[in-house]
């Protein structure tokens, strides 16, 4: 990149070279030496957990692939701050079968009210397997994913998911690099992608909470029988 006389570099690679005259912005995870733009794992899990609590649930679990175990750790830290314990934490080994993982969950953690997944893809795979076993979603189990992919709209029930503006990452990177070029600074900066919950049908409010709001019975039935 440097030999082509570029004026700035956007990269997801952990660079070893040092080019102080070329602004470099790192994306994907925190880099302690370069300006960084990244989704913060604790922010993701905090958004998901707080939404589950707001919906009236306290028995909250996590399931995710082993390569996303950092999200499992963040999930535990968020629950600890809320003075709660995970109802389950399932780290899914690489190349394991969905059937086996669901077997483990149903055998040991069937009292879980809300299951937060490390990614939408894993959530969708589990939803299909759970429903094939006769588990009613969201009546028997509420689901929250992470990433807010397009597939969230194409399944039943539609998947509630944490969005962290991944689709806008390119725009944000270019904007930050242009600002760095126009206003050079030696001060290293971090930008944590903001997270938000995208509400769909997979995690409706608990019936008791809806009743406490004084909603009509027909409205409550509509929510809990999505």
């Amino acid at each position: 990149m440097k030999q082509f006389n570029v004026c700035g570099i956007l990269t997801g690679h952990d660079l070893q070279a040092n080019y102080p005259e070329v602004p470099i912005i790192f994306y994907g995870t925190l880099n302690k030496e370069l300006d960084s733009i990244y989704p913060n794992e604790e922010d993701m899990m905090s958004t998901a957990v707080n939404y589950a609590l707001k919906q009236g649930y306290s028995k909250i679990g996590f399931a995710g692939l082993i390569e996303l175990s950092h999200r499992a750790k963040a999930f535990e830290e968020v629950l600890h701050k809320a003075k709660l314990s995970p109802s389950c934490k399932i780290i899914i080994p690489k190349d394991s079968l969905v059937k086996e993982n669901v077997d483990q969950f149903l055998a040991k953690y069937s009292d879980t009210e809300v299951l937060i997944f490390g990614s939408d893809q894993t959530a969708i795979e589990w939803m299909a397997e759970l429903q094939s076993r006769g588990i009613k979603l969201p009546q028997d189990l509420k689901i929250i994913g992470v990433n807010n992919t397009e597939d969230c709209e194409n399944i039943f029930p539609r998947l509630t998911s944490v969005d962290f503006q991944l689709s806008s990452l390119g725009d944000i990177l270019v904007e930050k690099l242009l600002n760095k070029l126009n206003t050079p600074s030696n001060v290293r900066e971090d930008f944590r992608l903001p997270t938000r919950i995208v509400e769909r049908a997979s995690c409706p409010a608990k019936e008791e909470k809806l009743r406490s709001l004084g909603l009509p019975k027909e409205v409550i039935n509509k929510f809990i029988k999505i």
Side-chain angles (χ1 to χ4, degrees), residues 113-217:
E113 295 176 307
V114 179
L115 194 55
I116 297 171
F117 285 86
S119 69
D120 293 336
Q121 180 180 351
T122 305
I124 291 169
E125 291 173 355
W126 273 55
M127 288 170 72
E129 180 64 24
L130 287 164
Q131 289 173 318
S132 75
R133 312 277 189 98
I135 306 298
K136 296 179 180 179
L137 305 177
Q139 294 92 330
D140 298 334
L141 179 66
K142 283 65 182 172
I143 305 289
I144 299 176
V146 172
N147 287 354
N148 192 34
T149 59
E150 292 181 0
D151 290 337
C152 294
E153 291 280 356
N154 300 325
I155 57 171
F156 181 84
R158 291 183 301 160
L159 180 60
T160 295
S161 185
V162 176
D163 181 271
F164 50 87
Q165 295 194 24
L166 188 61
S167 60
S168 303
L169 179 59
D171 292 336
I172 297 171
L173 283 167
V174 171
E175 178 186 352
K176 294 295 180 182
L177 182 58
L178 290 175
N179 289 341
K180 196 78 174 176
L181 290 168
N182 293 329
T183 311
S185 171
N186 292 326
V187 178
R188 186 185 147 278
E189 296 180 338
D190 287 332
F191 182 80
R192 287 158 59 153
L193 294 171
T195 61
R196 65 186 181 103
I197 196 78
V198 179
E199 296 185 84
R200 297 188 180 93
S202 67
C203 189
K206 199 170 187 176
E207 184 175 355
E208 289 84 347
K209 181 189 174 183
L210 295 171
R211 293 189 189 283
S212 72
L213 297 175
L215 297 174
K217 185 175 181 180

Side-chain angles (χ1 to χ4, degrees), residues 9-11 15 43 51 57 59 69 80-81 93 96 114 132 141 149 168 172 194 208 211:
I9 296 174
L10 304 174
T11 181
L15 298 178
D43 290 347
Y51 180 74
Y57 305 103
K59 296 178 180 178
S69 57
H80 179 72
K81 290 179 180 179
S96 66
V114 179
S132 75
L141 179 66
T149 59
S168 303
I172 297 171
E208 289 84 347
R211 293 189 189 283

Side-chain angles (χ1 to χ4, degrees), residues 19 21 27 39 41 50 73 90 120 155 177-178 182 198 207 224:
Y19 303 119
E21 74 279 15
Y27 65 87
E41 308 298 338
N50 287 335
K73 182 179 179 182
I90 300 175
D120 293 336
I155 57 171
L177 182 58
L178 290 175
N182 293 329
V198 179
E207 184 175 355
I224 65 177

Side-chain angles (χ1 to χ4, degrees), residues 52-140:
L53 294 173
K54 188 187 79 169
Q55 295 295 77
Y57 305 103
S58 58
K59 296 178 180 178
I60 306 169
F62 176 90
L65 298 175
I66 191 168
E67 55 261 38
L68 294 176
S69 57
H70 48 289
R71 291 184 182 174
K73 182 179 179 182
F75 166 78
E76 283 190 300
E77 291 173 351
V78 169
L79 275 188
H80 179 72
K81 290 179 180 179
K83 298 182 179 180
L84 293 172
S85 298
S87 67
C88 70
K89 187 184 75 171
I90 300 175
I91 304 299
I92 302 171
K94 188 176 181 180
D95 300 326
S96 66
L97 297 176
V98 175
K99 179 181 181 300
E100 295 173 351
N101 299 316
V102 172
D103 284 342
Q104 177 190 359
F105 172 75
L106 294 177
K108 297 182 178 180
Y109 311 113
S110 58
D111 63 337
T112 298
E113 295 176 307
V114 179
L115 194 55
I116 297 171
F117 285 86
S119 69
D120 293 336
Q121 180 180 351
T122 305
I124 291 169
E125 291 173 355
W126 273 55
M127 288 170 72
E129 180 64 24
L130 287 164
Q131 289 173 318
S132 75
R133 312 277 189 98
I135 306 298
K136 296 179 180 179
L137 305 177
Q139 294 92 330
D140 298 334

